[in-house]
Amino acid sequence: QVHLVQSGAEVKKPGASVKISCKSSGYSFTSYYMHWVRQAPGQGLEWMGIINPSGGSKSYARKFQGRVTMTRDTSTSTVYMELSSLTSEDTAVYFCARDGGNIEARPRDYFDYWGQGTLVTVSS
Amino acid sequence: DIQMTQSPSSVSASVGERVTITCRASQDISSWLAWYQQNPGKAPQLLIFAASSLQSGVPSRFSGSGSGTDFTLTISSLQPEDSATYYCQQTNSFPLTFGGGTKVEIK
């Protein structure tokens, strides 16, 4: 059974950074791309980027370029998302979400399993 | 970036009624579209991918159609557990983008 378990809620001050983890189980970690999606309170969904857990390559949404870093640790089947220079507009629930296609092919770019979400609150 | 526009923003219907949600892309995305259901405080759940393919485990009352720029999600017979917010998402190109959501309520 596929599970994506994320780290707990964070409270950060403006200008700080946050690093969220997403631990995978129940499938071959290196066989599926992983995405990050966020959702501000009462708002819609926003895609942040994708990482290849096998080779480590990534692609970020232009909006977050220069502020986001996605990494992975194959020894623990965990992906990480770090967001820097936080402002109040970064207050959101952050989700990791597994790509719907096997890594042998191009990413399907839809999300078949999601983490439970991590609330990041940015406040002075 | 491809803009995704959903309508209506909310709909209220009775149990057993047919509900249709539309999603329009700002450019041709072929059949590269997915639909999700999200309950309050929960992660979204995949319903449909490739515009019309039903994700495993999703009830058959959910269906998707369309191609190009216009798509629909249909719930053929609304059930109480279908009360949720629904999002479309284009999978054609980066950045991946979502519609603004449609809240479905039970009368």
Side-chain angles (χ1 to χ4, degrees):
Chain A
Q1 195 170 1
V2 174
H3 286 293
L4 304 179
V5 178
Q6 298 182 221
S7 49
E10 303 263 12
V11 179
K12 296 292 182 181
K13 294 199 182 303
S17 298
V18 67
K19 189 171 185 177
I20 302 168
S21 66
C22 170
K23 184 173 175 61
S24 304
S25 63
Y27 72 98
S28 174
F29 174 71
T30 53
S31 293
Y32 293 84
Y33 294 90
M34 194 72 77
H35 301 258
W36 288 89
V37 176
R38 77 176 186 179
Q39 186 170 37
Q43 302 300 309
L45 299 160
E46 183 174 33
W47 179 77
M48 300 181 71
I50 179 175
I51 183 169
N52 177 338
S54 178
S57 61
K58 42 247 179 182
S59 181
Y60 302 140
R62 198 165 39 247
K63 174 176 179 175
F64 300 102
Q65 289 272 6
R67 278 211 304 144
V68 68
T69 304
M70 296 178 188
T71 56
R72 94 289 189 213
D73 182 344
T74 56
S75 69
T76 60
S77 300
T78 302
V79 295
Y80 300 89
M81 189 283 297
E82 184 170 20
L83 189 64
S84 62
S85 302
L86 294 169
T87 72
S88 59
E89 296 191 350
D90 295 314
T91 293
V93 175
Y94 291 76
F95 295 100
C96 58
R98 195 185 80 162
D99 190 86
N102 190 283
I103 214 161
E104 296 298 317
R106 71 176 283 266
R108 299 291 184 89
D109 294 329
Y110 57 81
F111 320 118
D112 61 354
Y113 289 94
W114 296 64
Q116 83 277 17
T118 297
L119 175 62
V120 175
T121 303
V122 183
S123 175
S124 55
Chain B
D1 298 1
I2 298 174
Q3 308 303 315
M4 306 300 294
T5 304
Q6 279 183 242
S7 61
S9 57
S10 66
V11 58
S12 181
S14 301
V15 171
E17 271 194 79
R18 184 184 189 88
V19 172
T20 298
I21 299 167
T22 65
C23 180
R24 175 163 288 175
S26 61
Q27 65 187 71
D28 188 341
I29 59 169
S30 186
S31 295
W32 300 113
L33 187 95
W35 289 96
Y36 301 87
Q37 176 192 68
Q38 186 178 33
N39 288 298
K42 301 292 187 181
Q45 291 185 294
L46 178 66
L47 299 174
I48 301 282
F49 61 93
S52 60
S53 296
L54 194 67
Q55 173 68 356
S56 176
V58 173
S60 59
R61 62 181 179 274
F62 291 94
S63 65
S65 64
S67 66
T69 60
D70 294 312
F71 302 86
T72 59
L73 174 71
T74 300
I75 309 173
S76 60
S77 177
L78 191 67
Q79 299 301 303
E81 60 267 31
D82 300 336
S83 177
T85 299
Y86 294 82
Y87 293 94
C88 61
Q89 178 227 337
Q90 63 84 12
T91 65
N92 181 76
S93 61
F94 289 173
L96 307 177
T97 48
F98 294 84
T102 296
K103 187 171 185 178
V104 175
E105 296 176 319
I106 308 295
K107 276 184 187 173

PDB file of all heavy atoms in Angstrom, chain B residues 15-33:
ATOM      1  N   VAL B  15     -29.531  14.526  -4.125  1.00  0.00           N
ATOM      2  CA  VAL B  15     -29.044  13.153  -4.279  1.00  0.00           C
ATOM      3  C   VAL B  15     -29.767  12.499  -5.459  1.00  0.00           C
ATOM      4  O   VAL B  15     -30.983  12.631  -5.623  1.00  0.00           O
ATOM      5  CB  VAL B  15     -29.285  12.360  -2.985  1.00  0.00           C
ATOM      6  CG1 VAL B  15     -28.985  10.872  -3.196  1.00  0.00           C
ATOM      7  CG2 VAL B  15     -28.424  12.910  -1.846  1.00  0.00           C
ATOM      8  N   GLY B  16     -28.976  11.845  -6.305  1.00  0.00           N
ATOM      9  CA  GLY B  16     -29.506  11.182  -7.486  1.00  0.00           C
ATOM     10  C   GLY B  16     -29.470  12.028  -8.746  1.00  0.00           C
ATOM     11  O   GLY B  16     -29.639  11.507  -9.852  1.00  0.00           O
ATOM     12  N   GLU B  17     -29.272  13.309  -8.588  1.00  0.00           N
ATOM     13  CA  GLU B  17     -29.217  14.199  -9.755  1.00  0.00           C
ATOM     14  C   GLU B  17     -27.900  14.056 -10.501  1.00  0.00           C
ATOM     15  O   GLU B  17     -26.876  13.621  -9.944  1.00  0.00           O
ATOM     16  CB  GLU B  17     -29.373  15.658  -9.321  1.00  0.00           C
ATOM     17  CG  GLU B  17     -30.793  16.155  -9.265  1.00  0.00           C
ATOM     18  CD  GLU B  17     -30.840  17.681  -9.160  1.00  0.00           C
ATOM     19  OE1 GLU B  17     -30.662  18.365 -10.184  1.00  0.00           O
ATOM     20  OE2 GLU B  17     -31.058  18.167  -8.032  1.00  0.00           O
ATOM     21  N   ARG B  18     -27.911  14.468 -11.746  1.00  0.00           N
ATOM     22  CA  ARG B  18     -26.728  14.497 -12.589  1.00  0.00           C
ATOM     23  C   ARG B  18     -26.071  15.868 -12.427  1.00  0.00           C
ATOM     24  O   ARG B  18     -26.753  16.891 -12.478  1.00  0.00           O
ATOM     25  CB  ARG B  18     -27.131  14.273 -14.044  1.00  0.00           C
ATOM     26  CG  ARG B  18     -26.007  14.176 -15.041  1.00  0.00           C
ATOM     27  CD  ARG B  18     -26.611  14.046 -16.449  1.00  0.00           C
ATOM     28  NE  ARG B  18     -25.650  13.750 -17.472  1.00  0.00           N
ATOM     29  CZ  ARG B  18     -25.274  12.517 -17.820  1.00  0.00           C
ATOM     30  NH1 ARG B  18     -25.786  11.462 -17.198  1.00  0.00           N
ATOM     31  NH2 ARG B  18     -24.401  12.329 -18.792  1.00  0.00           N
ATOM     32  N   VAL B  19     -24.754  15.853 -12.229  1.00  0.00           N
ATOM     33  CA  VAL B  19     -24.001  17.096 -12.070  1.00  0.00           C
ATOM     34  C   VAL B  19     -22.898  17.149 -13.117  1.00  0.00           C
ATOM     35  O   VAL B  19     -22.173  16.168 -13.315  1.00  0.00           O
ATOM     36  CB  VAL B  19     -23.388  17.190 -10.655  1.00  0.00           C
ATOM     37  CG1 VAL B  19     -22.451  18.385 -10.545  1.00  0.00           C
ATOM     38  CG2 VAL B  19     -24.501  17.289  -9.603  1.00  0.00           C
ATOM     39  N   THR B  20     -22.786  18.295 -13.764  1.00  0.00           N
ATOM     40  CA  THR B  20     -21.748  18.479 -14.778  1.00  0.00           C
ATOM     41  C   THR B  20     -20.911  19.706 -14.450  1.00  0.00           C
ATOM     42  O   THR B  20     -21.447  20.777 -14.177  1.00  0.00           O
ATOM     43  CB  THR B  20     -22.362  18.628 -16.179  1.00  0.00           C
ATOM     44  OG1 THR B  20     -23.069  17.427 -16.505  1.00  0.00           O
ATOM     45  CG2 THR B  20     -21.271  18.844 -17.228  1.00  0.00           C
ATOM     46  N   ILE B  21     -19.602  19.528 -14.479  1.00  0.00           N
ATOM     47  CA  ILE B  21     -18.641  20.605 -14.240  1.00  0.00           C
ATOM     48  C   ILE B  21     -17.815  20.764 -15.509  1.00  0.00           C
ATOM     49  O   ILE B  21     -17.403  19.773 -16.116  1.00  0.00           O
ATOM     50  CB  ILE B  21     -17.718  20.259 -13.055  1.00  0.00           C
ATOM     51  CG1 ILE B  21     -18.546  20.079 -11.771  1.00  0.00           C
ATOM     52  CG2 ILE B  21     -16.652  21.324 -12.872  1.00  0.00           C
ATOM     53  CD1 ILE B  21     -17.758  19.445 -10.633  1.00  0.00           C
ATOM     54  N   THR B  22     -17.599  22.005 -15.904  1.00  0.00           N
ATOM     55  CA  THR B  22     -16.825  22.231 -17.113  1.00  0.00           C
ATOM     56  C   THR B  22     -15.471  22.868 -16.791  1.00  0.00           C
ATOM     57  O   THR B  22     -15.321  23.567 -15.782  1.00  0.00           O
ATOM     58  CB  THR B  22     -17.585  23.101 -18.117  1.00  0.00           C
ATOM     59  OG1 THR B  22     -17.763  24.407 -17.538  1.00  0.00           O
ATOM     60  CG2 THR B  22     -18.940  22.517 -18.420  1.00  0.00           C
ATOM     61  N   CYS B  23     -14.541  22.623 -17.658  1.00  0.00           N
ATOM     62  CA  CYS B  23     -13.175  23.135 -17.527  1.00  0.00           C
ATOM     63  C   CYS B  23     -12.702  23.541 -18.911  1.00  0.00           C
ATOM     64  O   CYS B  23     -12.809  22.754 -19.862  1.00  0.00           O
ATOM     65  CB  CYS B  23     -12.276  22.050 -16.937  1.00  0.00           C
ATOM     66  SG  CYS B  23     -10.539  22.513 -16.720  1.00  0.00           S
ATOM     67  N   ARG B  24     -12.211  24.759 -19.025  1.00  0.00           N
ATOM     68  CA  ARG B  24     -11.741  25.263 -20.310  1.00  0.00           C
ATOM     69  C   ARG B  24     -10.267  25.653 -20.208  1.00  0.00           C
ATOM     70  O   ARG B  24      -9.864  26.368 -19.276  1.00  0.00           O
ATOM     71  CB  ARG B  24     -12.572  26.463 -20.763  1.00  0.00           C
ATOM     72  CG  ARG B  24     -12.085  27.127 -22.040  1.00  0.00           C
ATOM     73  CD  ARG B  24     -13.152  28.005 -22.637  1.00  0.00           C
ATOM     74  NE  ARG B  24     -14.233  27.209 -23.220  1.00  0.00           N
ATOM     75  CZ  ARG B  24     -15.349  27.738 -23.732  1.00  0.00           C
ATOM     76  NH1 ARG B  24     -15.532  29.042 -23.709  1.00  0.00           N
ATOM     77  NH2 ARG B  24     -16.272  26.952 -24.246  1.00  0.00           N
ATOM     78  N   ALA B  25      -9.483  25.197 -21.157  1.00  0.00           N
ATOM     79  CA  ALA B  25      -8.064  25.531 -21.212  1.00  0.00           C
ATOM     80  C   ALA B  25      -7.846  26.710 -22.138  1.00  0.00           C
ATOM     81  O   ALA B  25      -8.570  26.879 -23.126  1.00  0.00           O
ATOM     82  CB  ALA B  25      -7.254  24.331 -21.691  1.00  0.00           C
ATOM     83  N   SER B  26      -6.833  27.510 -21.840  1.00  0.00           N
ATOM     84  CA  SER B  26      -6.562  28.701 -22.642  1.00  0.00           C
ATOM     85  C   SER B  26      -5.895  28.366 -23.970  1.00  0.00           C
ATOM     86  O   SER B  26      -5.782  29.237 -24.837  1.00  0.00           O
ATOM     87  CB  SER B  26      -5.694  29.683 -21.851  1.00  0.00           C
ATOM     88  OG  SER B  26      -4.445  29.096 -21.526  1.00  0.00           O
ATOM     89  N   GLN B  27      -5.465  27.115 -24.142  1.00  0.00           N
ATOM     90  CA  GLN B  27      -4.942  26.643 -25.422  1.00  0.00           C
ATOM     91  C   GLN B  27      -5.178  25.151 -25.526  1.00  0.00           C
ATOM     92  O   GLN B  27      -5.528  24.492 -24.542  1.00  0.00           O
ATOM     93  CB  GLN B  27      -3.457  26.992 -25.574  1.00  0.00           C
ATOM     94  CG  GLN B  27      -2.552  26.308 -24.583  1.00  0.00           C
ATOM     95  CD  GLN B  27      -1.120  26.808 -24.669  1.00  0.00           C
ATOM     96  OE1 GLN B  27      -0.820  27.942 -24.287  1.00  0.00           O
ATOM     97  NE2 GLN B  27      -0.232  25.970 -25.184  1.00  0.00           N
ATOM     98  N   ASP B  28      -4.990  24.641 -26.716  1.00  0.00           N
ATOM     99  CA  ASP B  28      -5.231  23.226 -26.973  1.00  0.00           C
ATOM    100  C   ASP B  28      -4.313  22.347 -26.119  1.00  0.00           C
ATOM    101  O   ASP B  28      -3.085  22.478 -26.184  1.00  0.00           O
ATOM    102  CB  ASP B  28      -4.992  22.947 -28.466  1.00  0.00           C
ATOM    103  CG  ASP B  28      -5.403  21.549 -28.896  1.00  0.00           C
ATOM    104  OD1 ASP B  28      -5.540  20.661 -28.029  1.00  0.00           O
ATOM    105  OD2 ASP B  28      -5.587  21.337 -30.108  1.00  0.00           O
ATOM    106  N   ILE B  29      -4.923  21.465 -25.308  1.00  0.00           N
ATOM    107  CA  ILE B  29      -4.140  20.543 -24.482  1.00  0.00           C
ATOM    108  C   ILE B  29      -4.442  19.089 -24.842  1.00  0.00           C
ATOM    109  O   ILE B  29      -4.191  18.171 -24.044  1.00  0.00           O
ATOM    110  CB  ILE B  29      -4.350  20.784 -22.972  1.00  0.00           C
ATOM    111  CG1 ILE B  29      -5.826  20.617 -22.582  1.00  0.00           C
ATOM    112  CG2 ILE B  29      -3.822  22.165 -22.563  1.00  0.00           C
ATOM    113  CD1 ILE B  29      -6.037  20.592 -21.057  1.00  0.00           C
ATOM    114  N   SER B  30      -5.007  18.881 -26.037  1.00  0.00           N
ATOM    115  CA  SER B  30      -5.352  17.527 -26.464  1.00  0.00           C
ATOM    116  C   SER B  30      -6.213  16.859 -25.384  1.00  0.00           C
ATOM    117  O   SER B  30      -7.241  17.413 -25.006  1.00  0.00           O
ATOM    118  CB  SER B  30      -4.082  16.737 -26.761  1.00  0.00           C
ATOM    119  OG  SER B  30      -4.399  15.472 -27.298  1.00  0.00           O
ATOM    120  N   SER B  31      -5.791  15.712 -24.887  1.00  0.00           N
ATOM    121  CA  SER B  31      -6.532  15.039 -23.817  1.00  0.00           C
ATOM    122  C   SER B  31      -5.754  15.028 -22.509  1.00  0.00           C
ATOM    123  O   SER B  31      -5.987  14.187 -21.637  1.00  0.00           O
ATOM    124  CB  SER B  31      -6.876  13.607 -24.227  1.00  0.00           C
ATOM    125  OG  SER B  31      -7.751  13.585 -25.324  1.00  0.00           O
ATOM    126  N   TRP B  32      -4.828  15.955 -22.388  1.00  0.00           N
ATOM    127  CA  TRP B  32      -3.957  15.985 -21.218  1.00  0.00           C
ATOM    128  C   TRP B  32      -4.624  16.718 -20.059  1.00  0.00           C
ATOM    129  O   TRP B  32      -4.257  17.848 -19.710  1.00  0.00           O
ATOM    130  CB  TRP B  32      -2.619  16.609 -21.572  1.00  0.00           C
ATOM    131  CG  TRP B  32      -1.863  15.900 -22.643  1.00  0.00           C
ATOM    132  CD1 TRP B  32      -1.572  16.360 -23.893  1.00  0.00           C
ATOM    133  CD2 TRP B  32      -1.326  14.560 -22.578  1.00  0.00           C
ATOM    134  NE1 TRP B  32      -0.885  15.412 -24.608  1.00  0.00           N
ATOM    135  CE2 TRP B  32      -0.712  14.299 -23.822  1.00  0.00           C
ATOM    136  CE3 TRP B  32      -1.291  13.566 -21.598  1.00  0.00           C
ATOM    137  CZ2 TRP B  32      -0.084  13.088 -24.106  1.00  0.00           C
ATOM    138  CZ3 TRP B  32      -0.651  12.370 -21.882  1.00  0.00           C
ATOM    139  CH2 TRP B  32      -0.070  12.142 -23.130  1.00  0.00           C
ATOM    140  N   LEU B  33      -5.594  16.062 -19.467  1.00  0.00           N
ATOM    141  CA  LEU B  33      -6.353  16.673 -18.393  1.00  0.00           C
ATOM    142  C   LEU B  33      -6.689  15.656 -17.323  1.00  0.00           C
ATOM    143  O   LEU B  33      -7.006  14.496 -17.625  1.00  0.00           O
ATOM    144  CB  LEU B  33      -7.671  17.269 -18.921  1.00  0.00           C
ATOM    145  CG  LEU B  33      -8.403  18.075 -17.845  1.00  0.00           C
ATOM    146  CD1 LEU B  33      -8.068  19.543 -17.963  1.00  0.00           C
ATOM    147  CD2 LEU B  33      -9.895  17.845 -17.895  1.00  0.00           C
TER     148      LEU B  33
END
